[in-house]
Amino acid sequence: MLAGIFLYTSFASFAEDKQFNVINGRYQDPGDLYFAVYVDGEITNTIPSKDSGYTLDEAQSSCTNGADITRDNDSWTAIINLSNYSAGNMSRTKCTMYFVEMSFTDSILACNDTAANCIKDNASLSNEIATDDPDNNARYIGADPNNYVSFNNELWRIIGAFNSIDDGTGNEETRLKIIRDESIGQYSWDNKLEGIGSSISDFGSNDWSDSTLQVVLNSGAYYNRINGECPDGMNGATPCDFSTTGLTEEAKSMIGNAVWNL
């Protein structure tokens, strides 16, 4: 009786060992999910940390069985999309993740802050941005940097992200300064007759706050997207049409006041 029990127990143990081998060597549960991780093309068992300067190359990364993989950079989590999942081949799902060094563009797109702060905080990743002035402003440099941006339904260029810009109330922030890619026309800075006489010194002044062009741009024809007159020559004017190139309401809502020291 005792011998019989012993033999039965031995047989049961042998059967379990055999079942274990089948699970791990010959059969794969279609519900299993495992990852292969590559960093700079080399396989590794360590996923880069959030602040390591790496990002998931979603174009190169993929999963088997119809699953898709993306990554939420804010929470630094992998997202598996199973909407097209199919386990018809009875194999477990493998996701291969390729991590590459994050480019400046990737960093900007992943940044959850104002555009100015995103450019400033990631400036070190771009060889087209310098921060070597006394205020550590992030300024685009070079003959033709990739600093293009859409504004006012037009192509503009970012000059830089400038720190401690006062809005006139003492509130200082990092702000973007941008410039239109093409000129809106050739007009006088200020054409007012300042004195009596015919000397050129009697016309206009270099005080921007009082110039006729400042009026056109900040409260006149260009600002209101209408036809009007623009300063031309000395005490002259010329018709100017900004009905299609002036500021839209959306563009005006994006412009902030700033102290401009003379």
Side-chain angles (χ1 to χ4, degrees), residues 189-213 233-236:
W189 173 280
D190 188 58
N191 67 340
K192 294 190 303 295
L193 181 63
E194 297 290 342
I196 300 175
S198 58
S199 170
I200 192 172
S201 61
D202 293 330
F203 290 91
S205 104
N206 64 355
D207 185 344
W208 173 248
S209 64
D210 187 49
S211 74
T212 46
L213 184 59
M234 294 187 296
N235 207 30

PDB file of all heavy atoms in Angstrom, residues 189-213 233-236:
ATOM      1  N   TRP A 189       9.519 104.967 -41.721  1.00  0.00           N
ATOM      2  CA  TRP A 189       9.431 104.726 -40.268  1.00  0.00           C
ATOM      3  C   TRP A 189       8.568 105.813 -39.635  1.00  0.00           C
ATOM      4  O   TRP A 189       7.648 105.524 -38.879  1.00  0.00           O
ATOM      5  CB  TRP A 189      10.849 104.745 -39.684  1.00  0.00           C
ATOM      6  CG  TRP A 189      10.949 104.670 -38.197  1.00  0.00           C
ATOM      7  CD1 TRP A 189      10.783 105.702 -37.308  1.00  0.00           C
ATOM      8  CD2 TRP A 189      11.242 103.515 -37.405  1.00  0.00           C
ATOM      9  NE1 TRP A 189      10.981 105.269 -36.023  1.00  0.00           N
ATOM     10  CE2 TRP A 189      11.261 103.921 -36.055  1.00  0.00           C
ATOM     11  CE3 TRP A 189      11.510 102.186 -37.707  1.00  0.00           C
ATOM     12  CZ2 TRP A 189      11.532 103.033 -35.011  1.00  0.00           C
ATOM     13  CZ3 TRP A 189      11.782 101.316 -36.678  1.00  0.00           C
ATOM     14  CH2 TRP A 189      11.781 101.735 -35.346  1.00  0.00           C
ATOM     15  N   ASP A 190       8.874 107.062 -39.957  1.00  0.00           N
ATOM     16  CA  ASP A 190       8.081 108.188 -39.455  1.00  0.00           C
ATOM     17  C   ASP A 190       8.247 109.337 -40.438  1.00  0.00           C
ATOM     18  O   ASP A 190       9.363 109.705 -40.805  1.00  0.00           O
ATOM     19  CB  ASP A 190       8.554 108.608 -38.063  1.00  0.00           C
ATOM     20  CG  ASP A 190       7.627 109.638 -37.440  1.00  0.00           C
ATOM     21  OD1 ASP A 190       6.418 109.337 -37.303  1.00  0.00           O
ATOM     22  OD2 ASP A 190       8.084 110.739 -37.104  1.00  0.00           O
ATOM     23  N   ASN A 191       7.151 109.902 -40.890  1.00  0.00           N
ATOM     24  CA  ASN A 191       7.226 110.928 -41.923  1.00  0.00           C
ATOM     25  C   ASN A 191       6.600 112.245 -41.499  1.00  0.00           C
ATOM     26  O   ASN A 191       6.334 113.107 -42.321  1.00  0.00           O
ATOM     27  CB  ASN A 191       6.539 110.422 -43.196  1.00  0.00           C
ATOM     28  CG  ASN A 191       5.033 110.245 -43.007  1.00  0.00           C
ATOM     29  OD1 ASN A 191       4.558 110.133 -41.884  1.00  0.00           O
ATOM     30  ND2 ASN A 191       4.292 110.218 -44.103  1.00  0.00           N
ATOM     31  N   LYS A 192       6.377 112.391 -40.200  1.00  0.00           N
ATOM     32  CA  LYS A 192       5.714 113.608 -39.733  1.00  0.00           C
ATOM     33  C   LYS A 192       6.645 114.816 -39.851  1.00  0.00           C
ATOM     34  O   LYS A 192       7.857 114.713 -39.684  1.00  0.00           O
ATOM     35  CB  LYS A 192       5.278 113.464 -38.269  1.00  0.00           C
ATOM     36  CG  LYS A 192       4.209 112.421 -38.046  1.00  0.00           C
ATOM     37  CD  LYS A 192       3.644 112.494 -36.645  1.00  0.00           C
ATOM     38  CE  LYS A 192       4.692 112.354 -35.558  1.00  0.00           C
ATOM     39  NZ  LYS A 192       5.337 111.021 -35.556  1.00  0.00           N
ATOM     40  N   LEU A 193       6.028 115.958 -40.156  1.00  0.00           N
ATOM     41  CA  LEU A 193       6.754 117.218 -40.175  1.00  0.00           C
ATOM     42  C   LEU A 193       6.934 117.685 -38.744  1.00  0.00           C
ATOM     43  O   LEU A 193       5.978 118.015 -38.053  1.00  0.00           O
ATOM     44  CB  LEU A 193       5.980 118.266 -40.982  1.00  0.00           C
ATOM     45  CG  LEU A 193       6.633 119.641 -41.116  1.00  0.00           C
ATOM     46  CD1 LEU A 193       7.952 119.534 -41.864  1.00  0.00           C
ATOM     47  CD2 LEU A 193       5.683 120.599 -41.836  1.00  0.00           C
ATOM     48  N   GLU A 194       8.183 117.694 -38.278  1.00  0.00           N
ATOM     49  CA  GLU A 194       8.457 117.997 -36.868  1.00  0.00           C
ATOM     50  C   GLU A 194       8.748 119.472 -36.623  1.00  0.00           C
ATOM     51  O   GLU A 194       8.633 119.958 -35.513  1.00  0.00           O
ATOM     52  CB  GLU A 194       9.658 117.170 -36.381  1.00  0.00           C
ATOM     53  CG  GLU A 194       9.417 115.670 -36.408  1.00  0.00           C
ATOM     54  CD  GLU A 194       8.419 115.234 -35.356  1.00  0.00           C
ATOM     55  OE1 GLU A 194       8.171 116.001 -34.414  1.00  0.00           O
ATOM     56  OE2 GLU A 194       7.871 114.125 -35.488  1.00  0.00           O
ATOM     57  N   GLY A 195       9.157 120.174 -37.656  1.00  0.00           N
ATOM     58  CA  GLY A 195       9.507 121.578 -37.444  1.00  0.00           C
ATOM     59  C   GLY A 195       9.219 122.398 -38.681  1.00  0.00           C
ATOM     60  O   GLY A 195       8.572 121.939 -39.621  1.00  0.00           O
ATOM     61  N   ILE A 196       9.674 123.587 -38.702  1.00  0.00           N
ATOM     62  CA  ILE A 196       9.452 124.477 -39.841  1.00  0.00           C
ATOM     63  C   ILE A 196      10.742 124.541 -40.644  1.00  0.00           C
ATOM     64  O   ILE A 196      11.812 124.812 -40.100  1.00  0.00           O
ATOM     65  CB  ILE A 196       9.057 125.890 -39.381  1.00  0.00           C
ATOM     66  CG1 ILE A 196       7.759 125.806 -38.564  1.00  0.00           C
ATOM     67  CG2 ILE A 196       8.902 126.830 -40.568  1.00  0.00           C
ATOM     68  CD1 ILE A 196       7.358 127.146 -37.960  1.00  0.00           C
ATOM     69  N   GLY A 197      10.657 124.281 -41.935  1.00  0.00           N
ATOM     70  CA  GLY A 197      11.829 124.321 -42.787  1.00  0.00           C
ATOM     71  C   GLY A 197      11.812 123.174 -43.766  1.00  0.00           C
ATOM     72  O   GLY A 197      10.909 122.343 -43.778  1.00  0.00           O
ATOM     73  N   SER A 198      12.831 123.114 -44.579  1.00  0.00           N
ATOM     74  CA  SER A 198      12.891 122.100 -45.619  1.00  0.00           C
ATOM     75  C   SER A 198      13.992 121.083 -45.365  1.00  0.00           C
ATOM     76  O   SER A 198      14.204 120.191 -46.177  1.00  0.00           O
ATOM     77  CB  SER A 198      13.125 122.763 -46.989  1.00  0.00           C
ATOM     78  OG  SER A 198      14.331 123.513 -46.956  1.00  0.00           O
ATOM     79  N   SER A 199      14.715 121.224 -44.257  1.00  0.00           N
ATOM     80  CA  SER A 199      15.792 120.276 -43.967  1.00  0.00           C
ATOM     81  C   SER A 199      15.217 118.915 -43.623  1.00  0.00           C
ATOM     82  O   SER A 199      14.140 118.797 -43.021  1.00  0.00           O
ATOM     83  CB  SER A 199      16.635 120.791 -42.792  1.00  0.00           C
ATOM     84  OG  SER A 199      17.523 119.781 -42.368  1.00  0.00           O
ATOM     85  N   ILE A 200      15.962 117.866 -43.994  1.00  0.00           N
ATOM     86  CA  ILE A 200      15.495 116.510 -43.691  1.00  0.00           C
ATOM     87  C   ILE A 200      15.403 116.280 -42.197  1.00  0.00           C
ATOM     88  O   ILE A 200      14.645 115.444 -41.718  1.00  0.00           O
ATOM     89  CB  ILE A 200      16.440 115.475 -44.346  1.00  0.00           C
ATOM     90  CG1 ILE A 200      15.807 114.080 -44.293  1.00  0.00           C
ATOM     91  CG2 ILE A 200      17.814 115.457 -43.660  1.00  0.00           C
ATOM     92  CD1 ILE A 200      16.569 113.047 -45.085  1.00  0.00           C
ATOM     93  N   SER A 201      16.158 117.048 -41.423  1.00  0.00           N
ATOM     94  CA  SER A 201      16.118 116.899 -39.963  1.00  0.00           C
ATOM     95  C   SER A 201      14.798 117.375 -39.379  1.00  0.00           C
ATOM     96  O   SER A 201      14.488 117.090 -38.226  1.00  0.00           O
ATOM     97  CB  SER A 201      17.268 117.668 -39.321  1.00  0.00           C
ATOM     98  OG  SER A 201      17.168 119.062 -39.607  1.00  0.00           O
ATOM     99  N   ASP A 202      14.014 118.094 -40.183  1.00  0.00           N
ATOM    100  CA  ASP A 202      12.719 118.578 -39.699  1.00  0.00           C
ATOM    101  C   ASP A 202      11.629 117.513 -39.801  1.00  0.00           C
ATOM    102  O   ASP A 202      10.514 117.734 -39.331  1.00  0.00           O
ATOM    103  CB  ASP A 202      12.276 119.807 -40.516  1.00  0.00           C
ATOM    104  CG  ASP A 202      13.184 121.006 -40.276  1.00  0.00           C
ATOM    105  OD1 ASP A 202      13.718 121.092 -39.156  1.00  0.00           O
ATOM    106  OD2 ASP A 202      13.364 121.804 -41.203  1.00  0.00           O
ATOM    107  N   PHE A 203      11.949 116.394 -40.419  1.00  0.00           N
ATOM    108  CA  PHE A 203      10.927 115.383 -40.644  1.00  0.00           C
ATOM    109  C   PHE A 203      11.181 114.147 -39.783  1.00  0.00           C
ATOM    110  O   PHE A 203      12.295 113.635 -39.730  1.00  0.00           O
ATOM    111  CB  PHE A 203      10.905 114.968 -42.123  1.00  0.00           C
ATOM    112  CG  PHE A 203      10.387 116.038 -43.039  1.00  0.00           C
ATOM    113  CD1 PHE A 203      11.264 116.951 -43.609  1.00  0.00           C
ATOM    114  CD2 PHE A 203       9.037 116.146 -43.300  1.00  0.00           C
ATOM    115  CE1 PHE A 203      10.788 117.937 -44.448  1.00  0.00           C
ATOM    116  CE2 PHE A 203       8.564 117.138 -44.133  1.00  0.00           C
ATOM    117  CZ  PHE A 203       9.442 118.040 -44.710  1.00  0.00           C
ATOM    118  N   GLY A 204      10.096 113.709 -39.152  1.00  0.00           N
ATOM    119  CA  GLY A 204      10.130 112.435 -38.459  1.00  0.00           C
ATOM    120  C   GLY A 204      11.020 112.401 -37.227  1.00  0.00           C
ATOM    121  O   GLY A 204      11.668 113.376 -36.856  1.00  0.00           O
ATOM    122  N   SER A 205      11.000 111.221 -36.574  1.00  0.00           N
ATOM    123  CA  SER A 205      11.849 110.995 -35.413  1.00  0.00           C
ATOM    124  C   SER A 205      12.063 109.501 -35.278  1.00  0.00           C
ATOM    125  O   SER A 205      11.360 108.687 -35.882  1.00  0.00           O
ATOM    126  CB  SER A 205      11.192 111.575 -34.158  1.00  0.00           C
ATOM    127  OG  SER A 205      10.637 110.595 -33.342  1.00  0.00           O
ATOM    128  N   ASN A 206      13.063 109.130 -34.486  1.00  0.00           N
ATOM    129  CA  ASN A 206      13.330 107.691 -34.311  1.00  0.00           C
ATOM    130  C   ASN A 206      12.615 107.125 -33.090  1.00  0.00           C
ATOM    131  O   ASN A 206      12.928 106.030 -32.646  1.00  0.00           O
ATOM    132  CB  ASN A 206      14.839 107.432 -34.209  1.00  0.00           C
ATOM    133  CG  ASN A 206      15.435 108.078 -32.968  1.00  0.00           C
ATOM    134  OD1 ASN A 206      14.752 108.787 -32.249  1.00  0.00           O
ATOM    135  ND2 ASN A 206      16.716 107.846 -32.730  1.00  0.00           N
ATOM    136  N   ASP A 207      11.648 107.864 -32.545  1.00  0.00           N
ATOM    137  CA  ASP A 207      10.864 107.406 -31.396  1.00  0.00           C
ATOM    138  C   ASP A 207       9.745 106.490 -31.908  1.00  0.00           C
ATOM    139  O   ASP A 207       8.758 106.946 -32.463  1.00  0.00           O
ATOM    140  CB  ASP A 207      10.286 108.605 -30.650  1.00  0.00           C
ATOM    141  CG  ASP A 207       9.571 108.195 -29.366  1.00  0.00           C
ATOM    142  OD1 ASP A 207       9.262 106.996 -29.203  1.00  0.00           O
ATOM    143  OD2 ASP A 207       9.321 109.077 -28.519  1.00  0.00           O
ATOM    144  N   TRP A 208       9.923 105.169 -31.713  1.00  0.00           N
ATOM    145  CA  TRP A 208       8.966 104.205 -32.245  1.00  0.00           C
ATOM    146  C   TRP A 208       7.566 104.417 -31.690  1.00  0.00           C
ATOM    147  O   TRP A 208       6.574 104.257 -32.403  1.00  0.00           O
ATOM    148  CB  TRP A 208       9.448 102.788 -31.929  1.00  0.00           C
ATOM    149  CG  TRP A 208       8.456 101.706 -32.276  1.00  0.00           C
ATOM    150  CD1 TRP A 208       7.781 100.904 -31.408  1.00  0.00           C
ATOM    151  CD2 TRP A 208       8.020 101.322 -33.579  1.00  0.00           C
ATOM    152  NE1 TRP A 208       6.957 100.037 -32.089  1.00  0.00           N
ATOM    153  CE2 TRP A 208       7.084 100.272 -33.432  1.00  0.00           C
ATOM    154  CE3 TRP A 208       8.344 101.764 -34.865  1.00  0.00           C
ATOM    155  CZ2 TRP A 208       6.464  99.654 -34.501  1.00  0.00           C
ATOM    156  CZ3 TRP A 208       7.718 101.151 -35.939  1.00  0.00           C
ATOM    157  CH2 TRP A 208       6.792 100.104 -35.764  1.00  0.00           C
ATOM    158  N   SER A 209       7.445 104.769 -30.429  1.00  0.00           N
ATOM    159  CA  SER A 209       6.121 104.905 -29.820  1.00  0.00           C
ATOM    160  C   SER A 209       5.300 106.013 -30.463  1.00  0.00           C
ATOM    161  O   SER A 209       4.076 106.031 -30.358  1.00  0.00           O
ATOM    162  CB  SER A 209       6.266 105.181 -28.315  1.00  0.00           C
ATOM    163  OG  SER A 209       6.911 106.424 -28.101  1.00  0.00           O
ATOM    164  N   ASP A 210       5.980 106.941 -31.169  1.00  0.00           N
ATOM    165  CA  ASP A 210       5.290 108.074 -31.774  1.00  0.00           C
ATOM    166  C   ASP A 210       5.364 108.047 -33.300  1.00  0.00           C
ATOM    167  O   ASP A 210       4.942 108.986 -33.959  1.00  0.00           O
ATOM    168  CB  ASP A 210       5.920 109.384 -31.239  1.00  0.00           C
ATOM    169  CG  ASP A 210       5.148 110.609 -31.677  1.00  0.00           C
ATOM    170  OD1 ASP A 210       3.912 110.622 -31.519  1.00  0.00           O
ATOM    171  OD2 ASP A 210       5.769 111.548 -32.229  1.00  0.00           O
ATOM    172  N   SER A 211       5.851 106.964 -33.880  1.00  0.00           N
ATOM    173  CA  SER A 211       6.059 106.939 -35.327  1.00  0.00           C
ATOM    174  C   SER A 211       4.764 106.580 -36.067  1.00  0.00           C
ATOM    175  O   SER A 211       3.892 105.883 -35.542  1.00  0.00           O
ATOM    176  CB  SER A 211       7.141 105.909 -35.689  1.00  0.00           C
ATOM    177  OG  SER A 211       6.645 104.592 -35.571  1.00  0.00           O
ATOM    178  N   THR A 212       4.678 107.045 -37.297  1.00  0.00           N
ATOM    179  CA  THR A 212       3.484 106.764 -38.091  1.00  0.00           C
ATOM    180  C   THR A 212       3.413 105.291 -38.499  1.00  0.00           C
ATOM    181  O   THR A 212       2.323 104.730 -38.631  1.00  0.00           O
ATOM    182  CB  THR A 212       3.461 107.652 -39.344  1.00  0.00           C
ATOM    183  OG1 THR A 212       4.753 107.627 -39.968  1.00  0.00           O
ATOM    184  CG2 THR A 212       3.112 109.088 -38.996  1.00  0.00           C
ATOM    185  N   LEU A 213       4.545 104.640 -38.698  1.00  0.00           N
ATOM    186  CA  LEU A 213       4.530 103.223 -39.045  1.00  0.00           C
ATOM    187  C   LEU A 213       4.034 102.383 -37.874  1.00  0.00           C
ATOM    188  O   LEU A 213       3.326 101.392 -38.069  1.00  0.00           O
ATOM    189  CB  LEU A 213       5.927 102.764 -39.460  1.00  0.00           C
ATOM    190  CG  LEU A 213       6.036 101.314 -39.938  1.00  0.00           C
ATOM    191  CD1 LEU A 213       5.130 101.068 -41.145  1.00  0.00           C
ATOM    192  CD2 LEU A 213       7.479 100.963 -40.270  1.00  0.00           C
ATOM    193  N   GLY A 233       7.901 108.581 -47.823  1.00  0.00           N
ATOM    194  CA  GLY A 233       8.721 109.765 -48.019  1.00  0.00           C
ATOM    195  C   GLY A 233       8.618 110.715 -46.841  1.00  0.00           C
ATOM    196  O   GLY A 233       8.351 110.317 -45.701  1.00  0.00           O
ATOM    197  N   MET A 234       8.812 111.978 -47.129  1.00  0.00           N
ATOM    198  CA  MET A 234       8.752 112.997 -46.086  1.00  0.00           C
ATOM    199  C   MET A 234       7.392 113.674 -46.104  1.00  0.00           C
ATOM    200  O   MET A 234       7.034 114.369 -47.068  1.00  0.00           O
ATOM    201  CB  MET A 234       9.866 114.031 -46.293  1.00  0.00           C
ATOM    202  CG  MET A 234      11.269 113.452 -46.118  1.00  0.00           C
ATOM    203  SD  MET A 234      12.574 114.694 -46.150  1.00  0.00           S
ATOM    204  CE  MET A 234      12.444 115.323 -47.807  1.00  0.00           C
ATOM    205  N   ASN A 235       6.611 113.400 -45.073  1.00  0.00           N
ATOM    206  CA  ASN A 235       5.288 113.982 -44.915  1.00  0.00           C
ATOM    207  C   ASN A 235       4.342 113.552 -46.030  1.00  0.00           C
ATOM    208  O   ASN A 235       3.401 114.249 -46.361  1.00  0.00           O
ATOM    209  CB  ASN A 235       5.364 115.517 -44.869  1.00  0.00           C
ATOM    210  CG  ASN A 235       4.202 116.104 -44.084  1.00  0.00           C
ATOM    211  OD1 ASN A 235       3.686 115.468 -43.161  1.00  0.00           O
ATOM    212  ND2 ASN A 235       3.785 117.296 -44.452  1.00  0.00           N
ATOM    213  N   GLY A 236       4.600 112.372 -46.613  1.00  0.00           N
ATOM    214  CA  GLY A 236       3.750 111.883 -47.680  1.00  0.00           C
ATOM    215  C   GLY A 236       3.060 110.587 -47.267  1.00  0.00           C
ATOM    216  O   GLY A 236       3.302 110.036 -46.194  1.00  0.00           O
TER     217      GLY A 236
END
